[in-house]
Amino acid sequence: MEEQFILRVPPSVAERIERLLNEDASSSDDKELDLSFSEDGRTGTFVIGNDRFTASLMDLPTVVESYKTYDDTNIIKTADIGQMIMVREPGDPAPDVVEYRHGLTPPMRDARKRRFRREPDLNPELVQRVEKDLLNIMAEEDGDENSRKPGKKTAPKPAAKPKVPEAETNAGEPERSDSDESDESG
């Protein structure tokens, strides 16, 4: 498996990167392309040419699979991508969360909220109380089973029903299946 990431950049930067990749690098003004992160591993700097942009490493709400092909017929999975590097314009505010709210495509807008079940808000005191009650109930049941004496009668089992032959419904006619399509009018 390869290591891959998604690089989301503003439209003006995307044009410059595309120009840099498609044209000869020596003829382009944007000869330098660099991405470096600070010690926290979540914030960094993206440099293209002489311009610097702030970048953030964000977790995606779902895993995205990446594929490649060598013959335009068979595809091979190359990576699971779970993070995205988001490059921002100089005036844009930094995100305050590490998880990106939306997916990569419009149908995945607010993916966490719309597509995944919320974790219930459980009060720890309530959980402890219910756990204690369940342990008490289990202890009482164990105590009841141990207190039974061997000579003591237990609840009687229900009596078995006598077998009664089924009434014949065809009254001497041979059995027919539903698929028997024979016509007897003939």
Side-chain angles (χ1 to χ4, degrees):
M1 297 280 272
E2 300 175 358
E3 290 193 19
Q4 299 177 359
F5 60 88
I6 293 173
L7 180 65
R8 182 169 275 184
V9 295
S12 62
V13 176
E15 291 172 7
R16 292 171 66 181
I17 292 173
E18 187 175 4
R19 201 171 343 129
L20 179 67
L21 294 174
N22 290 337
E23 295 177 358
D24 184 19
S26 61
S27 66
S28 177
D29 296 334
D30 302 323
K31 293 180 184 176
E32 184 182 356
L33 185 66
D34 185 40
L35 177 65
S36 59
F37 284 94
S38 61
E39 289 182 18
D40 68 353
R42 290 280 178 181
T43 58
T45 305
F46 179 78
V47 178
I48 184 166
N50 295 328
D51 297 328
R52 295 179 155 310
F53 299 92
T54 56
S56 299
L57 180 67
M58 304 190 77
D59 297 334
L60 292 171
T62 60
V63 174
V64 177
E65 294 179 344
S66 171
Y67 295 90
K68 76 163 90 171
T69 182
Y70 295 107
D71 57 3
D72 293 332
T73 305
N74 299 315
I75 58 174
I76 301 166
K77 181 177 176 180
T78 56
D80 286 328
I81 303 171
Q83 294 180 320
M84 169 179 64
I85 298 173
M86 182 177 280
V87 177
R88 296 182 312 277
E89 292 283 349
D92 291 345
D96 53 348
V97 294
V98 296
E99 183 177 46
Y100 189 61
R101 234 175 83 185
H102 312 295
L104 299 176
T105 59
M108 291 298 290
R109 185 156 186 82
D110 284 330
R112 270 286 174 215
K113 190 166 83 175
R114 293 185 323 136
R115 299 195 185 262
F116 298 108
R117 188 180 330 163
R118 274 188 52 206
E119 291 184 18
D121 297 329
L122 297 177
N123 182 357
E125 295 172 4
L126 176 66
V127 171
Q128 288 177 351
R129 192 173 69 225
V130 169
E131 183 180 13
K132 183 179 174 184
D133 291 345
L134 287 174
L135 290 173
N136 288 338
I137 290 170
M138 289 173 31
E140 287 175 8
E141 287 178 359
D142 289 343
D144 288 346
E145 288 178 9
N146 293 337
S147 66
R148 291 185 184 159
K149 295 180 181 175
K152 189 175 180 181
K153 290 185 178 180
T154 58
K157 293 182 180 178
K161 294 182 180 180
K163 291 190 176 185
V164 178
E166 294 182 20
E168 289 189 28
T169 56
N170 293 344
E173 292 183 20
E175 270 189 44
R176 288 190 174 173
S177 67
D178 291 337
S179 63
D180 191 8
E181 298 290 328
S182 63
D183 187 16
E184 294 181 15
S185 61

